[in-house]
């Protein structure tokens, strides 16, 4: 009788270990889905903030550069994906660079635009 009680206890311990292991896997999967959702949401928000194209008005971009940089930095803090985060910070730094160079009457805007269009492409690749 005692032997079957020990077997039952051992079986319960083994099964609880499997259950805990299963819980860890489920928790990990849930966190992965949440991170993916966060990444998708952050990427969608970032692409709306950036909104660059070759016909963009330099004055309009420069006027909102500091605000866009802050928004992109905030998004970078929210996302767990390292490549998305780094790219967002790079783009934010590009906007800060534009803000600092506003005094130069945007003479280098085409070079700035080209650099940031390349960064935008990097963000799209990191996001998708």
């Amino acid at each position: 009788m005692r032997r079957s009680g020990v077997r039952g206890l051992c079986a319960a311990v083994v099964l609880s270990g499997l259950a805990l292991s299963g819980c860890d896997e489920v928790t990990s999967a849930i966190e992965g889905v949440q991170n993916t959702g966060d990444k998708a949401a952050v990427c969608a928000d970032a692409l709306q903030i950036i909104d660059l194209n070759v016909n963009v008005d330099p004055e309009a971009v420069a006027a909102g550069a500091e605000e866009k940089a802050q928004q992109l930095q905030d998004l970078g803090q929210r996302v767990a994906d390292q490549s998305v985060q780094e790219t967002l910070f790079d783009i934010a730094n590009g906007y800060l660079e534009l803000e600092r160079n506003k005094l130069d009457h945007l003479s280098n805007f085409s070079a700035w635009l080209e650099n940031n269009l390349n960064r935008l492409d990097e963000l799209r690749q990191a996001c998708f």
Side-chain angles (χ1 to χ4, degrees):
M1 185 80 163
R2 183 170 184 179
R3 197 169 245 215
S4 67
V6 171
R7 281 187 192 163
L9 179 62
C10 288
V13 168
V14 168
L15 289 176
S16 68
L18 290 175
L20 289 176
S21 169
C23 287
D24 287 344
E25 289 174 10
V26 169
T27 301
S28 177
I30 289 171
E31 287 173 355
V33 167
Q34 288 172 338
N35 287 341
T36 300
D38 290 345
K39 177 181 171 180
V42 164
C43 287
D45 289 346
L47 292 173
Q48 287 180 344
I49 291 167
I50 297 166
D51 191 31
L52 288 178
N53 64 61
V54 293
N55 297 320
V56 72
D57 176 30
E59 299 287 332
V61 174
E66 189 173 359
E67 180 182 349
K68 286 186 178 199
Q70 184 60 52
Q71 290 173 329
L72 292 168
Q73 288 172 343
D74 292 345
L75 286 174
Q77 294 295 327
R78 283 184 27 206
V79 70
D81 186 285
Q82 190 70 29
S83 61
V84 172
Q85 185 181 63
E86 288 174 4
T87 305
L88 287 171
F89 289 157
D90 285 345
I91 296 170
N93 288 337
Y95 276 102
L96 291 174
E97 176 184 317
L98 180 64
E99 177 69 23
R100 284 190 299 270
N101 293 333
K102 231 194 298 193
L103 300 175
D104 295 336
H105 304 293
L106 303 172
S107 61
N108 258 347
F109 184 76
S110 60
W112 178 89
L113 181 60
E114 184 178 341
N115 286 336
N116 278 286
L117 286 172
N118 289 334
R119 290 176 181 147
L120 179 58
D121 188 47
E122 289 174 16
L123 177 64
R124 286 185 180 126
Q125 289 175 15
C127 286
F128 307 105

